[in-house]
Amino acid sequence: MLTNPHTRYWNQYVDADGAWKRDPRTALEQRPPGEDLATLRSGLGQPAGSVLAMWRFYTCVVDEKAARRDEVSEEQAAEHAALALFGLHQQSQQEPMHHPTVGVGQALRALRHSDRFSEDAVDARVEAAATATSVTAVLYRLRGLVTQLRTIRQPLDYDLLMKNINDWHYVESRQRVRRAWGLGYYVWGQEASVGSKDKDTTSPSS
């Protein structure tokens, strides 16, 4: 069971409808400080726990068994990676780039149909990410895709992305994530074209 999502960094600023939370006293939007986002970006490509400035953003309970081996848990590694990608995604954006229920496949489908990049090129990038067999490889490819999502101002669900990254460590759950991405990117995309509600599977709460 992953850590309660309500405690995670992006959920401190974004509400359940994907809008900025507001200060109850002033009604002003509460947005993540630019210096926080810069710190999060410093974790890109770095192992979890290796960037001291990021420690204050972690919410996962420390796995004592892993800690005794000088290791981090898969959940801690997934949160680190999601935080770093969120820092990249939110950079210079006025609207929240975390949006609950917008799965990775659905967000990438919007990228494919954005007219900013060729559909063939996006297909190739998505296929490369989905067929990655290691967490390191999928994160490298997601970094490029998130940069493109930022270009078109397309948000995604970072609670779900964190779970997807956590699941990528295991063969069976990795297959489920691939299936969910495929449903969001291809299958539901066909239904959406005739007015059906967009969907992406794999709950972030399990």
Side-chain angles (χ1 to χ4, degrees), residues 47-63:
S50 66
V51 181
L52 272 62
M54 288 186 67
W55 287 8
R56 63 191 176 96
F57 300 118
Y58 295 155
T59 64
C60 295
V61 176
V62 173
D63 184 321

Side-chain angles (χ1 to χ4, degrees), residues 14-72:
V14 182
D15 66 22
D17 295 320
W20 293 123
K21 291 183 177 179
R22 292 183 179 272
D23 187 306
R25 295 166 299 176
T26 65
L28 295 176
E29 291 179 343
Q30 301 181 88
R31 302 185 183 189
E35 55 268 29
D36 280 8
L37 298 177
T39 298
L40 297 181
R41 291 194 299 277
S42 71
L44 289 165
Q46 303 300 318
S50 66
V51 181
L52 272 62
M54 288 186 67
W55 287 8
R56 63 191 176 96
F57 300 118
Y58 295 155
T59 64
C60 295
V61 176
V62 173
D63 184 321
E64 294 183 2
K65 291 182 179 179
R68 283 195 290 270
R69 300 191 301 270
D70 294 326
E71 298 174 351
V72 297

Side-chain angles (χ1 to χ4, degrees), residues 18 22 28 39 57-58 63 69 75 107 118 123 130 135-136 141 144 146 151 158-159 164 166 171 180 189 195 204-205:
R22 292 183 179 272
L28 295 176
T39 298
F57 300 118
Y58 295 155
D63 184 321
R69 300 191 301 270
E75 183 187 0
S118 78
D123 285 349
V135 174
T136 300
R141 288 155 184 169
V146 165
T151 299
Y158 271 85
D159 291 316
N164 290 167
N166 186 78
V171 174
S205 61

Side-chain angles (χ1 to χ4, degrees), residues 113-173:
H113 297 305
S114 68
D115 297 327
R116 293 294 301 272
F117 307 96
S118 78
E119 292 187 354
D120 287 346
V122 175
D123 285 349
R125 279 178 171 265
V126 171
E127 181 179 357
T131 56
T133 56
S134 72
V135 174
T136 300
V138 76
L139 290 178
Y140 176 78
R141 288 155 184 169
L142 282 172
R143 180 173 176 175
L145 288 166
V146 165
T147 299
Q148 291 185 323
L149 290 172
R150 184 184 66 195
T151 299
I152 67 166
R153 298 188 294 277
Q154 171 61 47
L156 59 81
D157 185 338
Y158 271 85
D159 291 316
L160 183 52
L161 178 63
M162 179 178 163
K163 184 182 187 304
N164 290 167
I165 295 169
N166 186 78
D167 288 345
W168 211 266
H169 288 88
Y170 310 100
V171 174
E172 289 187 4
S173 56

Side-chain angles (χ1 to χ4, degrees), residues 101 109 188 191-192 195-200:
T101 77
R109 184 176 71 246
W188 294 118
E191 293 194 359
S196 296
K197 183 179 179 181
D198 288 349
K199 297 181 181 179
D200 203 352

Side-chain angles (χ1 to χ4, degrees), residues 181-198:
W181 288 6
L183 287 169
Y185 192 64
Y186 291 111
V187 179
W188 294 118
Q190 295 170 12
E191 293 194 359
S193 66
V194 293
S196 296
K197 183 179 179 181
D198 288 349

